[in-house]
Amino acid sequence: MSDAGAAVPAAESGPADLLLPHYVPGSTVALSDDERWPALPAAARAHLDSVLAHPAAPVWRHRVGHRLDPAAVERARTELPTDDWLPAHLDAVRELPAYRGLRGRLHALDDFPLVSRAELAADIGGFVPRDADLSRLVQGSSSGSTGAALRLPDDIEDVARTFWLVHRLLAGLGVDWRPDPRRLALALVVHQRQAFTYVSPVPGFIAEGGDGGAGATGRSADGQTLMARLNLDPRDWPTTDRIAFLRDQDPQLISGNPSSLATLLEPATAAVLNPLAIVSGALHLTPALRAALETRFGVPVLDLYGLHETRPIAWRADDGPFRVLDTRVLVETVDAAGRPAGAARGELVVTAGSNPLLPLARYRTGDHGRLVERDGRPAIADLEGREHVEFVTAGGRAINTVDLTQYLQDAGALAWSLVQRADGSVTARVAGGDPERAARSIRALLAQPVELDRVARPIDLGEGKPRRFLRES
């Protein structure tokens, strides 16, 4: 559960009429620190307080804790068994209130109806098991591609387990990510006018042999490591403070969506960063941005695909297909009528069994791709978008947005947003690369007028999840 800390004048975040109530520090305190961080040693608390009080720190809008006792920490470090997990998972789904009238007909996975975000939004309680341990529940929120928030039940151990999943994937890429109490273990970065910002200990990520003394930076080397969620937007955190804080805290791993990660390439910010790896998620990571991050920092860039509803689904560390994770996740593709798409491109449908508070069967993601095989495992090729969009040529022929993506990537674009109006003309907003070259290619492909709008940075395309392709009717 997240809740806010001490109050701060609204002026620190800009005009008072722009300050959203749930971003006001001190507005929603719900737990004590002992409840947030059970059994946190005094030296670790002092370390936490020193980061919270850093003179260049951002406004900490929330007080967030993992809520795990030592036994739960150990469980979260252990991967859930995946041998023959599906039958027991489907048994649990059959008993959900949402399937009350269907139980006698739900035998194999194919018998389960497709479930959409709209059904979760209409009755999320219908998808929570009757015997769920609600003491482990925290409320999550997913905005999706439409911006309409969906409130979701997250399990505290499952949330913590995702950290260890990322740790395992990076180890497979040769990243030696060991706890170092002199550095932030993880910085989650966003770029928004207002955002949740906080610091918390990482459960179970403890340095061996911590002696409680001071390291080279003068900070406590007590064996505890911290993570922070940071808003890089200069309207919320002055750039000079951002640089000073990142220099001092020196995060080992940096994670965020591509628009936020692109901010790290600004010369003054890049100069103070020494990450072991970078993790991208939530939005499409272009080959050009991946290459720029890899070149500047000389580290692997892990691209993680998933939804809040399903947890992580697949990953890649290059520009090839996404490997489906070897966790409790199963991926299908269906056509527009909901029938199996086979080897053709279709909508991704996910069965997910890692969150005991939200067991899902055949959940429509709204994303599209092709199921292929990579290194003997299922993988997703041509992953694109949260909605399937086709542009049309002057002659009325449909053009898949994957084709448009290929031209934009070939031109080295870091990010983009394309809108085709009802008259067929296209407005292309492009960040980075050679936008004129991209516009020429799109114009040639569609035989339609293309109006180009260059923007300096991916974040200039808009906060949150801007639509990459939109066709007006």
Side-chain angles (χ1 to χ4, degrees):
M1 176 178 292
S2 66
D3 46 19
V8 60
E12 294 190 19
S13 298
D17 59 349
L18 291 179
L19 187 62
L20 297 173
H22 51 284
Y23 289 124
V24 176
S27 62
T28 54
V29 175
L31 299 176
S32 69
D33 285 353
D34 287 342
E35 291 171 308
R36 272 185 217 100
W37 307 300
L40 186 67
R45 177 55 191 262
H47 180 196
L48 172 66
D49 288 344
S50 72
V51 175
L52 290 169
H54 189 285
V59 175
W60 301 115
R61 301 191 181 282
H62 285 74
R63 202 97 159 157
V64 172
H66 51 74
R67 291 174 42 190
L68 300 178
D69 62 26
V73 168
E74 287 307 308
R75 288 194 298 269
R77 289 170 60 104
T78 305
E79 294 179 40
L80 295 173
T82 56
D83 293 340
D84 201 28
W85 66 274
L86 188 59
H89 174 69
L90 294 183
D91 285 345
V93 175
R94 286 187 193 96
E95 295 302 315
L96 294 174
Y99 295 87
R100 185 179 297 109
L102 300 174
R103 286 177 195 143
R105 290 177 276 163
L106 303 177
H107 305 293
L109 178 63
D110 290 348
D111 298 326
F112 284 75
L114 299 177
V115 176
S116 71
R117 179 185 176 89
E119 287 160 297
L120 296 189
D123 180 22
I124 189 63
F127 294 87
V128 177
R130 291 188 181 89
D131 60 352
D133 183 356
L134 300 183
S135 69
R136 291 169 47 164
L137 183 149
V138 289
Q139 179 179 275
S141 177
S142 169
S143 62
S145 61
T146 64
L150 172 62
R151 305 294 183 184
L152 297 167
D154 286 332
D155 176 84
I156 54 177
E157 291 184 21
D158 182 47
V159 172
R161 190 172 286 113
T162 299
F163 174 90
W164 294 103
L165 169 65
V166 172
H167 190 275
R168 174 167 66 90
L169 292 175
L170 291 175
L173 297 174
V175 176
D176 187 17
W177 186 15
R178 301 181 186 181
D180 181 348
R182 288 172 292 272
R183 304 178 66 181
L184 282 178
L186 170 64
L188 302 175
V189 298
V190 298
H191 196 297
Q192 302 166 204
R193 182 173 184 85
Q194 296 175 63
F196 297 120
T197 49
Y198 54 80
V199 182
S200 179
V202 180
F205 199 53
I206 301 173
E208 298 295 333
D211 59 6
T217 63
R219 284 173 294 185
S220 172
D222 53 33
Q224 298 291 326
T225 51
L226 305 176
M227 59 82 63
R229 192 173 195 263
L230 307 169
N231 185 11
L232 305 182
D233 193 317
R235 294 171 297 181
D236 196 45
W237 191 19
T239 301
T240 53
D241 286 347
R242 175 217 300 170
I243 293 167
F245 183 86
L246 291 174
R247 181 188 60 238
D248 289 351
Q249 303 305 324
D250 197 13
Q252 293 178 294
L253 183 72
I254 304 175
S255 176
N257 67 41
S259 295
S260 304
L261 296 176
T263 303
L264 306 178
L265 295 171
E266 295 175 2
T269 300
V272 301
L273 296 173
N274 306 282
L276 302 175
I278 293 171
V279 178
S280 176
L283 299 174
H284 177 80
L285 176 66
T286 63
L289 182 53
R290 173 195 292 282
L293 291 167
E294 289 177 338
T295 299
R296 178 60 185 83
F297 297 109
V299 299
V301 177
L302 176 67
D303 196 358
L304 197 60
Y305 166 62
L307 283 71
H308 195 138
E309 303 94 298
T310 64
R311 315 301 296 166
I313 296 169
W315 69 279
R316 65 179 179 178
D318 52 31
D319 295 320
F322 285 78
R323 296 172 172 87
V324 175
L325 289 161
D326 57 351
T327 56
R328 293 184 177 183
V329 62
L330 185 151
V331 181
E332 307 170 73
T333 52
V334 298
D335 63 16
R339 299 170 301 213
R345 191 168 184 271
E347 182 180 359
L348 302 177
V349 172
V350 175
T351 296
S354 65
N355 181 358
L357 301 181
L358 190 66
L360 292 176
R362 309 198 75 203
Y363 182 71
R364 305 185 75 143
T365 66
D367 297 333
H368 292 74
R370 290 186 299 112
L371 285 182
V372 297
E373 185 177 288
R374 185 170 185 183
D375 301 329
R377 296 239 350 125
I380 305 167
D382 301 331
L383 178 61
E384 185 70 50
R386 287 292 159 97
E387 67 280 319
H388 181 60
V389 178
E390 289 183 334
F391 281 27
V392 294
T393 66
R397 183 166 62 92
I399 295 293
N400 196 306
T401 54
V402 172
D403 296 323
L404 298 168
T405 294
Q406 290 173 344
Y407 284 112
L408 289 153
Q409 290 178 345
D410 183 62
L414 299 179
W416 57 83
S417 175
L418 269 63
V419 177
Q420 185 170 42
R421 300 189 183 93
D423 64 3
S425 64
V426 174
T427 298
R429 303 185 69 219
V430 182
D434 186 345
E436 287 82 3
R437 176 179 166 190
R440 287 195 301 270
S441 297
I442 296 167
R443 192 176 294 114
L445 179 67
L446 299 176
Q448 301 274 25
V450 177
E451 177 185 336
L452 175 63
D453 178 16
R454 299 178 61 122
V455 298
R457 306 167 300 166
I459 195 63
D460 294 330
L461 295 172
E463 299 174 359
K465 298 180 180 179
R467 293 178 184 268
R468 284 161 40 79
F469 297 100
L470 177 65
R471 183 180 168 195
E472 297 178 346
S473 57

